[in-house]
């Protein structure tokens, strides 16, 4: 009997289910008030299972599929920008940073740098491509993107830690139940 985990059909099926769940989460961004930020985070976190069970290449394939489908199907385009610019691929890249770079400080700095580049690029994309006027970013005379960037960095630290805890939970509790014959 063939090993299920080397079976390409099984991998494609598993990845399709994860992709479908991620697309549903992205479509829900218009219905959930905090969906613009929370749902892209959750959609990307689903890719952790694919990275752990298969590899980052399979997870990147799902990221591209979900990104394209989200552009067409998700109502909240700001959430789609957040997903494509950072939350969709970060759970995949996090694995690379933490497994390939042995120095934890360097890994942390690179992850933080990646986040800040992605957020800055998203801001300029939203301003210039989506046409959000600069005055939209001013509240009572205060230019708030700097405050959002500071708050975003704090959120990123919490998100990175939550992903780490999710990976631990997945490996210890979920994976052994889903993939009994693999262990």
């Amino acid at each position: 009997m063939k090993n299920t985990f080397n079976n390409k059909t099984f991998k494609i099926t598993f990845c399709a289910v994860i992709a479908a769940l991620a697309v549903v989460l992205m479509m829900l961004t218009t219905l959930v008030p905090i969906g613009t930020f929370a749902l892209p985070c959750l959609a990307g976190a689903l890719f952790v299972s694919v990275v752990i069970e298969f590899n980052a290449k399979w997870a990147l394939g799902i990221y591209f599929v979900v990104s394209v489908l989200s552009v067409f199907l998700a109502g909240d385009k700001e959430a789609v920008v957040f997903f494509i610019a950072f939350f969709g691929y970060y759970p995949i890249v996090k694995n690379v940073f933490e497994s390939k770079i042995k120095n934890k400080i360097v890994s942390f700095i690179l992850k933080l740098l990646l986040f800040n580049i992605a957020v800055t690029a998203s801001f300029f994309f939203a301003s210039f491509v989506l046409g959000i006027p600069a005055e939209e970013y001013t509240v009572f005379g205060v230019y708030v993107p700097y405050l959002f960037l500071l708050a975003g960095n704090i959120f990123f630290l919490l998100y990175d830690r939550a992903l780490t805890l999710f990976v631990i939970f997945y490996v210890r509790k979920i994976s052994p139940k889903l993939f009994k014959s693999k262990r």
Side-chain angles (χ1 to χ4, degrees), residues 17-144:
V17 169
I18 296 298
L21 289 171
V23 169
V24 168
L25 287 172
M26 292 303 296
M27 290 172 62
L28 288 173
T29 57
T30 52
L31 300 175
V32 180
I34 61 165
T36 300
F37 304 106
L39 294 174
C41 293
L42 291 174
L46 292 173
F47 302 159
V48 165
S49 62
V50 177
V51 172
I52 291 169
E53 303 302 343
F54 308 123
N55 61 40
K57 290 179 186 177
W58 283 86
L60 281 173
I62 298 171
Y63 161 72
F64 288 117
V65 167
V66 174
S67 295
V68 169
L69 290 173
S70 294
V71 167
F72 294 111
L73 299 175
D76 187 342
K77 298 308 178 197
E78 188 178 8
V80 174
V81 169
F82 291 142
F83 179 82
I84 293 171
F86 186 73
F87 294 115
Y89 67 83
Y90 180 72
I92 303 164
V93 174
K94 174 181 170 58
N95 175 60
V96 174
F97 281 141
E98 293 176 355
S99 65
K100 304 285 186 207
I101 301 170
K102 299 302 176 197
N103 186 324
K104 289 186 178 191
I105 295 171
V106 172
S107 174
F108 174 76
I109 290 170
L110 288 174
K111 291 188 295 185
L112 200 57
L113 183 63
L114 175 65
F115 173 76
N116 282 283
I117 289 170
V119 167
T120 303
S122 297
F123 171 76
F124 285 110
F125 180 82
S127 296
F128 297 113
V129 177
L130 297 180
I132 298 174
E135 54 270 5
E136 292 285 327
Y137 299 112
T138 305
V139 178
F140 301 116
V142 177
Y143 192 61
V144 292

Side-chain angles (χ1 to χ4, degrees), residues 4-23 43-56 58-59 61-63 65-66 166 170-171 174-180 182-183:
T4 307
F5 298 97
N6 293 326
N7 186 337
K8 197 170 188 173
T9 304
F10 176 80
K11 288 179 182 180
I12 291 169
T13 303
F14 183 82
C15 292
V17 169
I18 296 298
L21 289 171
V23 169
L46 292 173
F47 302 159
V48 165
S49 62
V50 177
V51 172
I52 291 169
E53 303 302 343
F54 308 123
N55 61 40
W58 283 86
I62 298 171
Y63 161 72
V65 167
V66 174
F166 177 66
Y170 180 84
V171 168
I174 298 172
S175 182
K177 290 178 180 164
L178 286 178
F179 301 98
K180 290 178 185 169
K182 184 177 178 184
R183 304 289 180 249

